[in-house]
Amino acid sequence: MSASTSACLLARLLASGKFWLKRARIECPDLGEGTPPPGADGVLLADVRIEGDRIRAVLPAGEAPCCAPGLCLDGGPVRPRGCCNAVGPGQPADLTMILPDGARLDMEKGRVVQPEPPRSRA
């Protein structure tokens, strides 16, 4: 899946305000309260539920409903961004993720943050 295809799919998911980030890789220090324990390697492979501007649930990978709308990150990392310091239920949906094709995508309050266009030199 190309970066533009992934971004387009995510944009459609965001329109509903309720979606899953499936098979997200979350490092142990980034885990918030209410999340399953990480594996022996300090990493949790998880399904992350976003509702509006918040993370509503973090479940072990594969436990999100199979037919629920979501974007499979296929083990791509999800990290908190900005003032947020954890990925867990109740935390703001201010996240940085790496899509399966290697593209970086930033979210703020559950919405994709568009990168600023380069400034022209006048």
Side-chain angles (χ1 to χ4, degrees):
M1 186 180 308
S2 71
S4 61
T5 303
S6 296
C8 181
L9 176 59
L10 188 57
R12 288 183 183 176
L13 292 172
L14 291 173
S16 74
K18 297 179 180 180
F19 58 93
W20 289 91
L21 298 174
K22 297 179 179 183
R23 295 186 44 79
R25 178 184 165 97
I26 306 170
E27 301 289 330
C28 186
D30 296 336
L31 292 172
E33 288 187 32
T35 60
D41 60 356
V43 173
L44 173 65
L45 196 60
D47 295 337
V48 180
R49 175 69 172 176
I50 307 293
E51 289 185 12
D53 65 349
R54 296 272 172 200
I55 297 169
R56 292 295 171 213
V58 177
L59 304 175
E63 290 193 14
C66 63
C67 58
L71 178 64
C72 181
L73 298 178
D74 201 21
V78 171
R79 296 184 183 99
R81 70 183 294 270
C83 64
C84 184
N85 61 7
V87 177
Q91 295 292 327
D94 297 345
L95 304 169
T96 294
M97 64 196 85
I98 304 299
L99 303 175
D101 60 8
R104 176 183 164 149
L105 194 62
D106 291 320
M107 289 178 55
E108 188 173 297
K109 298 181 180 177
R111 301 275 180 213
V112 173
V113 175
Q114 298 297 329
E116 291 185 27
R119 296 182 184 186
S120 62
R121 294 183 174 169

